[in-house]
Amino acid sequence: SNICPQNPGLNRGRWKELEEEIRQWARRDSALLITCGPIVDSSRKHIGQHRVAVPDQFFKVIAAPYTEQPRGIAFLFENNDNQPPLGALAVTIDSIETITGIDFFHHIPDSIETLIESNTSLELWNLN
C-alpha cells in the first residue's frame, strides 16, 4: 500500500521537493535504487476508527551504484510541518539501516555497498 499518514506540510513540502530532485537524478543517472517508509515507535499515535498508526518519522534512501562514481544518500524527516532544507535532512544510509534494522543494498558488491552507505556527499547530489 502507498498509504501512510503524513503531515500535509511534510507531504506538500520537503517530501515533494525530494521527489522532484529524485526525478532529476534519475534522468541524469539512468538507474537509481530507492526505498522509503515510515518509522513508528511503540508509543505511536493512532487516528481514525481503525486506529491507523501515525509515524513519528519517514525515511528515504537513494543509491546510484551503477554510475562512474557510485554514491548514496538518505533522508530522515520528522512527521511535522517544520522541515529544514533538504541538505540538513541528509544522513547516511548506514544510519537509516541502524534505525530500521533493514540492510537495504545487500545485493550490491560489498566494496560498493560500503562506499555508498557510509558517505553522504551533498555535492555529488547537487544539494547545498
Side-chain angles (χ1 to χ4, degrees):
S1 160
N2 189 23
I3 300 171
C4 200
Q6 195 175 67
N7 187 287
L10 170 58
N11 185 268
R12 296 176 195 138
R14 294 290 182 243
W15 192 264
K16 179 182 177 190
E17 181 182 340
L18 180 56
E19 288 177 338
E20 290 167 357
E21 287 288 343
I22 289 171
R23 286 183 191 96
Q24 295 297 321
W25 299 338
R27 285 184 196 99
R28 179 187 68 194
D29 297 332
S30 298
L32 296 176
L33 304 175
I34 304 166
T35 303
C36 62
I39 297 174
V40 182
D41 70 18
S42 60
S43 62
R44 62 189 164 261
K45 175 182 154 187
H46 292 85
I47 60 172
Q49 173 184 346
H50 299 289
R51 301 198 29 83
V52 174
V54 178
D56 297 316
Q57 299 174 304
F58 288 89
F59 70 87
K60 192 169 285 218
V61 297
I62 303 113
Y66 310 115
T67 59
E68 186 176 316
Q69 188 172 17
R71 63 192 173 284
I73 194 166
F75 296 87
L76 184 61
F77 300 87
E78 296 295 323
N79 193 10
N80 62 42
D81 283 334
N82 302 315
Q83 299 295 319
L86 281 178
L89 295 166
V91 297
T92 65
I93 295 170
D94 280 338
S95 68
I96 301 297
E97 287 183 333
T98 299
I99 293 168
T100 63
I102 300 169
D103 184 6
F104 292 105
F105 304 117
H106 58 88
H107 60 285
I108 295 173
D110 286 341
S111 60
I112 296 173
E113 180 186 13
T114 299
L115 173 71
I116 66 175
E117 290 183 352
S118 63
N119 296 303
T120 298
S121 174
L122 300 179
E123 296 80 26
L124 291 176
W125 295 96
N126 295 325
L127 288 174
N128 297 320

